[in-house]
């Protein structure tokens, strides 16, 4: 995992990382949440556990529904900053879509956008990476590149109320 670019230098000695490969199946959503909770607790990042677990849960659910056969979850952090990447070989790129107020799904990226300090999607040759940063005090989110190895992509923004946001891949 490439260390995130933030305005304050990170102490590489204190950086913690975790990575796992999981099948794109329903039980993997819970497995990914459990990994986030276990790792962040051991890193001393307790204040970010719930938000990070929810972000990962929403992104992994998208992979299970729309991605490939497996995905990789990567986390890096140092107590006040957690960065995550979820790579899957699926061709579609997640993006918010408008849906009706009675829809039972389609609000995942809106939730991610509300909880993460920054997030985005980077299409690749063999799939895509959805990344997020939480706990960062980014001075200029428009210029920040959480994962320098990934060219900055336009971040999908929800332009409607939460009840009218829908996630589609295609």
């Amino acid at each position: 995992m490439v260390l995130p670019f933030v305005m304050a230098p990170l102490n590489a000695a204190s950086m913690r990382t975790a990575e796992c490969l999981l099948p794109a199946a329903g039980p993997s959503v819970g497995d990914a949440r459990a990994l986030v909770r276990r790792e962040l607790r051991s890193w001393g990042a307790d204040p970010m556990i719930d938000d990070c677990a929810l972000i990962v849960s929403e992104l992994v659910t998208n992979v299970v529904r729309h991605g490939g056969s497996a995905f990789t979850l990567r986390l890096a952090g140092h107590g006040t900053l957690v960065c995550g990447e979820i790579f899957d070989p699926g061709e579609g790129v997640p993006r918010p879509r408008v849906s009706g107020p009675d829809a039972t799904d389609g609000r995942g990226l809106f939730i991610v956008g509300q909880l993460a300090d920054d997030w985005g999607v980077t299409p690749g040759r063999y799939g895509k990476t959805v990344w997020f940063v939480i706990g960062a005090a980014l001075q200029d989110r428009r210029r920040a590149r959480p994962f320098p190895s990934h060219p900055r992509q336009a971040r999908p923004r929800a332009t409607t109320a939460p009840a009218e946001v829908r996630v589609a891949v295609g």
Side-chain angles (χ1 to χ4, degrees):
M1 169 179 269
V2 176
L3 297 179
F5 173 80
V6 294
M7 301 315 282
L10 299 175
N11 179 350
S14 66
M15 183 63 67
R16 309 284 299 268
T17 62
E19 180 173 347
C20 70
L21 176 66
L22 292 167
S28 293
V29 177
D31 294 341
R33 275 194 309 265
L35 173 84
V36 167
R37 291 186 179 287
R38 182 181 67 241
E39 293 300 319
L40 268 59
R41 189 168 292 115
S42 75
W43 299 353
D46 292 20
M48 293 177 279
I49 290 174
D50 290 337
D51 287 350
C52 192
L54 183 52
I55 290 168
V56 167
S57 181
E58 294 297 335
L59 297 177
V60 170
T61 298
N62 283 349
V63 172
V64 169
R65 295 185 69 198
H66 307 289
S69 58
F71 66 94
T72 303
L73 168 61
R74 295 183 194 107
L75 299 170
H78 66 78
T80 60
L81 172 76
V82 173
C83 305
E85 294 182 328
I86 297 174
F87 169 82
D88 76 85
E91 294 179 8
V93 176
R95 63 183 188 274
R97 292 256 175 128
V98 176
S99 66
D102 295 327
T104 59
D105 63 352
R107 293 173 183 85
L109 291 181
F110 179 81
I111 292 169
V112 171
Q114 294 300 301
L115 296 177
D117 289 311
D118 203 6
W119 74 280
V121 180
T122 304
R125 185 173 180 185
Y126 299 106
K128 66 188 159 298
T129 300
V130 181
W131 54 263
F132 67 90
V133 177
I134 187 169
L138 298 176
Q139 295 177 8
D140 184 354
R141 290 187 174 117
R142 290 181 302 250
R143 289 184 16 217
R145 291 176 53 202
F147 297 99
S149 66
H150 305 306
R152 178 76 170 166
Q153 299 293 316
R155 177 173 148 173
R157 292 281 188 182
T159 57
T160 58
E164 298 176 350
V165 177
R166 178 183 164 92
V167 175
V169 176

